[in-house]
Amino acid sequence: MSYVDVAALLVVFVPFLAMPGIIALRYRPNLREAVSLVAAVLTFGLAASLIPAALAGDVTRVVLFSVAPGLDFALRPDPLGLLFAAVASFLWILTTVYSIGYMRGREEHAQTRYYLFFAAAMGGTMGVALSADLFSLLIFYEILTVSTYPLVVHHEGEKDYRAGRKYLVYTLGGGGAILAALAIAYGLAGNVD
């Protein structure tokens, strides 16, 4: 595997790899939040480091596994996807810094859960940005949907749960549309590129 392949994998999976650290450090808020911040900085650095190679034409396809012929779970770090990943991960850094002050200042409950699902949402976002095809996009889109639901209902009030139900209807409906498009594309073309 080349640097581009490994870095592309890390752009997507560093946020997920931060999750066990966030859970393990749940009783040590400074370290828990440091893990979140380090993951954000690392993700941004990796995404930004891949942009020059992608602009120079070094765009690879990293296949994690194949489900069927023409149906791969794969990443493709192209220039536009990397730009989106770099912008989103840079904003993750800023949002994490803001969240630390906000969550502590308001003495919010379930702060570990918040940082845990925020990291999962960032991993899903990075996966959406670097998806090589509709199948990979669908998987990461659904990870993003499931991981952001706890953020939507964080305050756990009736209004929040109502908003969460509406959110799931919209996002799972979008996932269903992507699944239908995926089935049609695979049936017609034999792949989902």
Side-chain angles (χ1 to χ4, degrees):
M1 288 184 109
S2 70
Y3 169 78
V4 171
D5 296 344
V6 173
L9 287 169
L10 288 173
V11 165
V12 174
F13 291 104
V14 161
F16 295 117
L17 294 171
M19 293 172 68
I22 291 168
I23 292 170
L25 297 168
R26 65 185 167 271
Y27 300 117
R28 302 187 68 189
N30 290 341
L31 293 175
R32 173 193 65 206
E33 291 153 8
V35 167
S36 187
L37 196 53
V38 166
V41 169
L42 248 164
T43 302
F44 170 70
L46 288 162
S49 76
L50 288 173
I51 292 173
L55 290 173
D58 189 5
V59 177
T60 62
R61 181 181 170 93
V62 183
V63 178
L64 291 119
F65 61 87
S66 294
V67 175
L71 195 60
D72 298 329
F73 184 61
L75 302 174
R76 186 173 182 271
D78 62 23
L80 190 58
L82 285 168
L83 177 63
F84 179 79
V87 169
S89 58
F90 179 74
L91 292 173
W92 183 22
I93 296 167
L94 299 178
T95 306
T96 300
V97 171
Y98 174 81
S99 294
I100 292 167
Y102 180 84
M103 298 295 274
R104 287 187 180 192
R106 293 192 50 143
E107 297 179 3
E108 286 286 336
H109 72 290
Q111 291 185 30
T112 298
R113 180 182 68 196
Y114 172 84
Y115 289 107
L116 179 74
F117 284 103
F118 193 47
M122 284 313 302
T125 301
M126 296 299 106
V128 166
L130 300 186
S131 290
D133 52 42
L134 280 174
F135 177 67
S136 304
L137 177 73
L138 176 65
I139 300 297
F140 286 117
Y141 178 84
E142 294 305 329
I143 289 170
L144 184 59
T145 295
V146 171
S147 63
T148 51
Y149 174 79
L151 301 175
V152 171
V153 300
H154 178 75
H155 288 292
E156 300 178 358
E158 183 51 41
K159 181 179 174 184
D160 303 305
Y161 287 122
R162 216 173 20 256
R165 285 189 296 273
K166 198 180 294 186
Y167 168 80
L168 284 177
V169 167
Y170 295 152
T171 55
L172 292 175
I178 293 172
L179 181 61
L182 185 135
I184 292 167
Y186 188 72
L188 293 173
N191 66 53
V192 291
D193 290 345

